[in-house]
Amino acid sequence: DVKVTQSSRYLVKRTGEKVFLECVQDMDHENMFWYRQDPGLGLRLIYFSYDVKMKEKGDIPEGYSVSREKKERFSLILESASTNQTSMYLCASSLLTSEAFFGQGTRLTVV
Amino acid sequence: TQLLEQSPQFLSIQEGENLTVYCNSSSVFSSLQWYRQEPGEGPVLLVTVVTGGEVKKLKRLTFQFGDARKDSSLHITAAQPGDTGLYLCAGAEAGSYQLTFGKGTKLSVIP
């Protein structure tokens, strides 16, 4: 079975902090994605990557950056956390189809 | 950005009842997927449909892709409390691994 693991289930950070969310997949998938999920807004794509060192902006990239130095790892970075970035963050991976396998999610609270 | 509209947003039914959830768009998708998400967890893929008119069954769940590949439905027969969760549809454009998600239908099955 595909396993996508996010480094933390819950995080509490202060406004202005630099925050790293880590995601690792163990199935050699080419594609990796970061979403945020908010009530009433659904899942919104922040960034995605089709290959190592490649990244593409999604629908809401402002305030975020990503890093993919190794195929199995995709990191989401909040350069200076703000309260409006409080959300559930979901990482996903896929092979050569659109079928996505998700991690368990990280619930981030920025205070 | 293509949009997927799901209805209803919320559904609360008694155990044993049948229900149908709808996913509609004005755009054509090359494939459409259904996911189920439980509270505090990431979405889990249930099924992918790719051919217009296609019907797939997963135990008591029946998924249908519209003939024009713009809409889909999920029918649950004799709902069980274990069916409780957030049901998400997601579509992919031709040649893309990127998914557009609906906002979801939150289903509660009362014992």
Side-chain angles (χ1 to χ4, degrees):
Chain A
D1 283 350
V2 176
K3 191 162 185 184
V4 179
T5 303
Q6 294 182 227
S7 52
S8 304
R9 291 294 294 263
Y10 301 95
L11 272 179
V12 180
K13 296 293 181 180
R14 295 195 179 279
T15 302
E17 277 194 77
K18 190 168 186 176
V19 181
F20 293 86
L21 302 183
E22 307 285 348
C23 175
V24 176
Q25 50 95 2
D26 65 357
M27 286 302 291
D28 203 34
H29 282 179
E30 306 291 336
N31 310 314
M32 296 190 75
F33 307 83
W34 274 107
Y35 295 87
R36 62 177 285 176
Q37 184 176 30
D38 301 287
L41 297 176
L43 272 78
R44 293 179 292 167
L45 182 64
I46 305 171
Y47 267 97
F48 58 101
S49 170
Y50 289 150
D51 202 351
V52 175
K53 296 192 185 294
M54 294 184 70
K55 59 185 179 184
E56 297 284 343
K57 292 181 180 179
D59 298 320
I60 51 163
E62 296 78 19
Y64 303 94
S65 62
V66 290
S67 172
R68 194 166 181 201
E69 296 296 318
K70 294 184 178 181
K71 192 175 186 179
E72 67 270 19
R73 187 180 296 270
F74 193 34
S75 302
L76 180 68
I77 303 151
L78 286 66
E79 295 290 341
S80 178
S82 63
T83 54
N84 63 13
Q85 291 178 310
T86 291
S87 186
M88 174 72 144
Y89 289 87
L90 291 163
C91 174
S93 72
S94 68
L95 191 51
L96 298 177
T97 71
S98 58
E99 294 181 340
F101 295 87
F102 284 85
Q104 76 277 29
T106 296
R107 185 162 293 282
L108 172 67
T109 303
V110 182
V111 298
Chain B
T1 303
Q2 297 179 311
L3 292 176
L4 277 169
E5 300 286 340
Q6 282 190 245
S7 61
Q9 269 190 286
F10 302 96
L11 193 54
S12 181
I13 61 170
Q14 295 289 327
E15 181 177 357
E17 291 184 355
N18 302 333
L19 67 114
T20 302
V21 175
Y22 299 93
C23 177
N24 295 295
S25 175
S26 58
S27 304
V28 175
F29 291 99
S30 64
S31 68
L32 196 137
Q33 296 155 27
W34 285 92
Y35 295 80
R36 180 168 66 210
Q37 184 179 20
E38 299 188 12
E41 301 293 332
V44 175
L45 179 67
L46 296 174
V47 76
T48 299
V49 285
V50 296
T51 305
E54 182 177 4
V55 176
K56 281 192 174 179
K57 292 194 175 185
L58 186 66
K59 296 184 181 177
R60 292 176 294 98
L61 279 60
T62 301
F63 304 86
Q64 184 161 8
F65 203 11
D67 290 341
R69 289 185 290 136
K70 292 183 179 181
D71 55 87
S72 181
S73 63
L74 158 60
H75 182 78
I76 301 179
T77 303
Q80 303 293 314
D83 296 327
T84 292
L86 179 68
Y87 289 81
L88 296 160
C89 67
E93 299 177 45
S96 173
Y97 305 133
Q98 190 176 337
L99 289 171
T100 298
F101 280 86
K103 293 182 181 179
T105 294
K106 191 170 184 181
L107 172 65
S108 296
V109 182
I110 303 164

